[in-house]
Amino acid sequence: MSGDRARIRALLDTYGRTYADEAGIRLKDTPQPLYQLLVLSCLLSARIQAGIAVAASRALSKAGLRDARRMKDATWQQRVDALGEGGYRRYDERTATQLGEGADLLLDKYGGDLRRMRDAADGDTDRLRKLLREVPGLGPAGTDIFLREAQAVWPELAPHLDAKALQGAERAGLPTSPDALLKAAGVAEPAVLAAALVRAALDKKGAEEIRDTK
């Protein structure tokens, strides 16, 4: 176990930052940051570098598109331009359409407030996952991203360590049992641990260095 704790420390020292934090989202249980997290999750879903998705999230925020109403009211071209500014060019047109459609759905069903989606799920993570999947552009990977990050403010989701996170654990020489990982992580926030494990899954060389930690 001491070796696992040392590797967890190395993991968190290297990768211990959520994607929301990297995107400048001050995550709270309020409509705007939750919506920004949803958009970031959609952007990260595409086959594109995470850094580009994060930059696109920042660009959308800079353009003022921080909530569902503003996203809906923006023109398609304004959304395309903001995504392009963030370097999100390969998928910009399709994603601009999906962001508009997603904003429409959230406004119609939940008044633009994801906390109402949470209420509709009534503590059932599988139900919440199903509701999230209704958002255009948010596939299985994006849904897991949202759940991993949202557990920081929606404690009923914790611990959410999905297949990608557990892949990172395996690469870093850590246990692949969520219980064992949480025990080794001690007081580390589950959202931070999950993000660190995913980053390790995406960085084979870095994960191997953590594996060698004594």
Side-chain angles (χ1 to χ4, degrees):
M1 181 59 71
S2 60
D4 289 342
R5 290 197 180 107
R7 282 187 281 274
I8 286 282
R9 284 196 299 271
L11 176 85
L12 294 175
D13 286 345
T14 305
Y15 302 116
R17 188 182 191 189
T18 64
Y19 286 98
D21 182 58
E22 185 181 350
I25 300 169
R26 295 184 178 181
L27 195 57
K28 297 184 292 184
D29 189 23
T30 54
Q32 184 170 296
L34 288 169
Y35 177 72
Q36 288 178 288
L37 174 60
L38 184 74
V39 169
L40 174 62
S41 300
C42 290
L43 298 174
L44 285 165
S45 295
R47 293 181 180 276
I48 201 164
Q49 290 180 6
I52 294 176
V54 166
S57 171
R58 285 182 171 274
L60 288 166
S61 179
K62 182 181 176 183
L65 308 183
R66 302 185 190 96
D67 59 49
R69 173 58 60 189
R70 291 177 183 177
M71 188 68 78
K72 172 183 168 62
D73 289 346
T75 66
W76 177 83
Q77 190 61 52
Q78 285 172 325
R79 294 193 291 267
V80 169
D81 290 346
L83 290 166
E85 183 179 333
Y88 203 87
R89 294 186 178 87
R90 184 178 175 189
Y91 301 100
D92 54 353
E93 296 187 356
R94 183 183 71 181
T95 301
T97 298
Q98 290 173 336
L99 289 174
E101 292 171 348
D104 272 336
L105 180 144
L106 291 173
L107 289 164
D108 289 345
K109 292 193 68 172
Y110 308 108
D113 187 347
L114 282 160
R115 295 176 301 179
R116 295 184 184 180
M117 182 188 288
R118 178 191 187 188
D119 290 343
D122 195 25
D124 184 336
T125 301
D126 288 337
R127 172 66 176 157
L128 179 58
R129 184 188 299 276
K130 183 177 179 180
L131 295 174
L132 285 165
R133 289 288 306 278
E134 295 177 358
V135 178
L138 197 71
T143 299
D144 274 328
I145 292 165
F146 182 87
L147 295 174
R148 283 197 308 260
E149 300 268 323
Q151 68 182 320
V153 291
W154 290 355
E156 72 274 13
L157 299 177
H160 188 81
L161 299 173
D162 58 21
K164 195 68 174 180
L166 297 180
Q167 181 188 52
E170 183 176 12
R171 285 192 168 178
L174 289 162
T176 54
S177 157
D179 288 342
L181 281 169
L182 290 166
K183 185 174 182 180
V187 297
E189 289 288 337
V192 175
L193 174 63
L197 290 168
V198 170
R199 291 178 189 275
L202 298 172
D203 181 8
K204 184 177 180 181
K205 182 177 179 181
E208 288 174 351
E209 291 175 357
I210 291 168
R211 178 188 286 271
D212 293 338
T213 300
K214 303 298 184 183

